[in-house]
Amino acid sequence: MVKKSPPDATRRSERSRRAIYDAALALVAEVGYPRTTIEGIAARAGVGKQTIYRWWPSKAEVLLEAFLDLGEQAARQAGHQPHEIPDTGDVAADLKAVLRATVDELLDPRFDAPSRALAAEGLVDERLGREFVARLLEPQLQLYVRRLRAAQRAGQVRPDVDPRIALELFVSPLAQRWLQHTGPISHAYTDTLVDYALYGLAPR
Amino acid sequence: MVKKSPPDATRRSERSRRAIYDAALALVAEVGYPRTTIEGIAARAGVGKQTIYRWWPSKAEVLLEAFLDLGEQAARQAGHQPHEIPDTGDVAADLKAVLRATVDELLDPRFDAPSRALAAEGLVDERLGREFVARLLEPQLQLYVRRLRAAQRAGQVRPDVDPRIALELFVSPLAQRWLQHTGPISHAYTDTLVDYALYGLAPR
């Protein structure tokens, strides 16, 4: 009995943690960030609010970790490691593959509604926006920086290109179409962005 | 007396209209779109709410026209026509010039706060978002489509490039940095975007 207690407690914690993440994401999607409260998350997850306060200091922290967890789950479901862009030696193919997976994630309702609610709040609450960009978005963008640097070493990207700006040529169009509904998103669309960015609009 | 009456009335109307635009933009920046009301705009502009209802059917329409007016004013102050991108024969120079003017506009607090409030609402209210994109953003993007088509005719952009996607390589990165605070914006930054987009990241 004593031997079994820690694993059981861990499983219970893990179940509570997952229930809290699910509740936080569902709530922010339904009522928006300002009206999402620790009390509301606790009630929906079926836990006491002290359980939440024991693990996280604020609703912003709960949501941050819920999004990190969501991103990792999506990456695993797509069959790749969450914290790397593959390097097959073909930078065009690798960028297209990761952007196709991103399109699939953006079109998933579990991701779309809460991400949109959080992004909307980030536009008007600059402090929150900057924190979520620094902790959720920028680490993802740095994966592209690393992949583009490897492509520079392999001679597939010009050495004078700044990778942190270069990645925006294919990441930002997808982000804007998704966020602002400025156009449809698809694998064909992101493939085209990668080709235009790598080979340029001007004749070669 | 009779002869002077119509011009005076026109001037009065023009003054009221401008006061209503200013009030609407200031209010949406301060309290957000959901809490902006026709009553609030009227009170702040010093007009009766019937004056507003006589000209516009809803607050969305007032704001839409206020933004169109703001964009036209900004274009005139920047010394160019509001509804065209110049064609000097050098597509890189023309795109850089119009993006530099856009950077100046995005950094102007009169434009920044109300635009951000409206964009935030557009993220969560899809109908409103799509309407404002269709009537405010897309007409601006079509100016780039026209300029890129002229560049294709002049042999400066490849004939197989889709101009509506191509423009996103330099417009969307600027939009995302501005909206989501993902990085600083400057003339040097937009110049770099144009060079990367036209000449590509891969060695030539």
Side-chain angles (χ1 to χ4, degrees), chain A residues 13-183:
Chain A
S13 293
E14 182 53 33
R15 267 203 308 276
S16 295
R17 192 179 292 270
R18 181 55 43 88
I20 290 163
Y21 288 160
D22 289 346
L25 294 171
L27 208 55
V28 81
E30 285 170 23
V31 304
Y33 182 84
R35 292 200 287 152
T36 295
T37 61
I38 294 281
E39 286 74 7
I41 296 169
R44 188 168 188 135
V47 302
K49 69 178 181 175
Q50 285 315 314
T51 301
I52 299 184
Y53 281 122
R54 196 185 316 140
W55 289 334
W56 299 280
S58 68
K59 71 173 177 180
E61 290 294 322
V62 180
L63 277 164
L64 180 74
E65 291 195 12
F67 273 98
L68 288 169
D69 180 68
L70 190 66
E72 289 177 10
Q73 282 183 69
R76 277 192 213 94
Q77 280 173 19
H80 59 79
Q81 291 299 309
H83 302 301
E84 66 176 35
I85 292 175
D87 186 347
T88 65
D90 179 344
V91 67
D94 293 346
L95 294 175
K96 286 176 185 178
V98 72
L99 286 165
R100 283 172 173 229
T102 305
V103 166
D104 295 342
E105 187 178 348
L106 295 176
L107 291 175
D108 181 339
R110 289 177 310 159
F111 181 89
D112 179 86
S115 302
R116 195 175 289 285
L118 200 72
E121 187 65 17
L123 298 200
V124 289
D125 178 343
E126 184 173 337
R127 197 201 54 75
L128 183 83
R130 286 186 187 274
E131 183 175 349
F132 273 76
V133 163
R135 294 177 64 184
L136 288 175
L137 183 57
E138 190 61 33
Q140 298 295 315
L141 301 183
Q142 287 300 318
L143 305 182
Y144 287 99
V145 169
R146 282 210 290 277
R147 183 64 190 83
L148 289 172
R149 286 218 179 99
Q152 285 177 313
R153 288 191 298 271
Q156 296 180 340
V157 166
R158 284 187 282 126
D160 59 314
V161 158
D162 178 341
R164 181 58 188 78
I165 296 177
L167 66 90
E168 297 176 51
L169 270 69
F170 39 84
V171 167
S172 298
L174 175 59
Q176 187 175 30
R177 282 197 176 204
W178 170 66
L179 262 181
Q180 298 199 284
H181 302 293
T182 47

Side-chain angles (χ1 to χ4, degrees), chain A residues 116-117 119-124 126 129-130 133 137-138 141 148 155-177 179-183 189 192-193 195-204, chain B residues 116-117 119-124 126 129-130 133 137-138 141 148 155-177 179-183 189 192-193 195-204:
Chain A
R116 195 175 289 285
E121 187 65 17
L123 298 200
V124 289
E126 184 173 337
R130 286 186 187 274
V133 163
L137 183 57
E138 190 61 33
L141 301 183
L148 289 172
Q156 296 180 340
V157 166
R158 284 187 282 126
D160 59 314
V161 158
D162 178 341
R164 181 58 188 78
I165 296 177
L167 66 90
E168 297 176 51
L169 270 69
F170 39 84
V171 167
S172 298
L174 175 59
Q176 187 175 30
R177 282 197 176 204
L179 262 181
Q180 298 199 284
H181 302 293
T182 47
Y189 168 65
T192 301
L193 291 174
D195 287 333
Y196 287 3
L198 283 174
Y199 307 111
L201 307 176
R204 286 192 164 239
Chain B
R116 195 174 290 283
E121 188 64 17
L123 298 200
V124 290
E126 185 172 338
R130 285 185 186 276
V133 163
L137 183 57
E138 191 61 34
L141 300 184
L148 288 172
Q156 296 181 338
V157 166
R158 284 188 281 127
D160 59 315
V161 158
D162 178 340
R164 181 59 187 77
I165 296 177
L167 68 90
E168 298 175 50
L169 271 68
F170 39 85
V171 168
S172 298
L174 176 59
Q176 186 174 30
R177 282 197 177 204
L179 261 181
Q180 297 198 282
H181 301 294
T182 46
Y189 167 65
T192 300
L193 290 173
D195 287 332
Y196 287 4
L198 284 174
Y199 306 112
L201 307 175
R204 283 188 169 243

Side-chain angles (χ1 to χ4, degrees), chain B:
Chain B
M1 293 288 280
V2 171
K3 270 177 69 186
K4 281 201 167 177
S5 174
D8 279 359
T10 303
R11 268 197 295 276
R12 267 201 309 280
S13 293
E14 182 54 32
R15 267 202 308 275
S16 295
R17 192 178 292 268
R18 182 54 43 88
I20 290 163
Y21 289 161
D22 289 347
L25 294 172
L27 209 53
V28 81
E30 284 169 24
V31 305
Y33 182 84
R35 293 200 287 153
T36 295
T37 61
I38 294 281
E39 286 75 8
I41 296 170
R44 188 164 186 139
V47 302
K49 68 178 181 175
Q50 285 313 317
T51 301
I52 299 184
Y53 281 121
R54 195 184 316 141
W55 289 334
W56 299 280
S58 68
K59 70 173 177 179
E61 290 293 323
V62 181
L63 276 164
L64 181 73
E65 291 196 13
F67 274 98
L68 288 169
D69 179 70
L70 190 65
E72 289 178 9
Q73 282 184 69
R76 276 192 213 95
Q77 280 173 19
H80 57 81
Q81 291 298 310
H83 302 301
E84 67 175 36
I85 293 176
D87 187 347
T88 65
D90 178 345
V91 68
D94 293 345
L95 294 175
K96 287 176 184 177
V98 73
L99 286 165
R100 284 173 174 227
T102 305
V103 167
D104 295 342
E105 187 177 349
L106 294 176
L107 292 175
D108 181 340
R110 287 177 311 160
F111 180 90
D112 178 87
S115 303
R116 195 174 290 283
L118 200 71
E121 188 64 17
L123 298 200
V124 290
D125 178 343
E126 185 172 338
R127 196 201 55 75
L128 182 84
R130 285 185 186 276
E131 183 176 349
F132 273 76
V133 163
R135 295 176 63 184
L136 287 175
L137 183 57
E138 191 61 34
Q140 298 295 315
L141 300 184
Q142 287 300 320
L143 305 181
Y144 287 99
V145 170
R146 281 210 289 278
R147 185 63 191 84
L148 288 172
R149 287 218 179 99
Q152 285 178 315
R153 287 191 296 272
Q156 296 181 338
V157 166
R158 284 188 281 127
D160 59 315
V161 158
D162 178 340
R164 181 59 187 77
I165 296 177
L167 68 90
E168 298 175 50
L169 271 68
F170 39 85
V171 168
S172 298
L174 176 59
Q176 186 174 30
R177 282 197 177 204
W178 170 68
L179 261 181
Q180 297 198 282
H181 301 294
T182 46
I185 65 175
S186 66
H187 292 181
Y189 167 65
T190 49
D191 285 0
T192 300
L193 290 173
V194 170
D195 287 332
Y196 287 4
L198 284 174
Y199 306 112
L201 307 175
R204 283 188 169 243

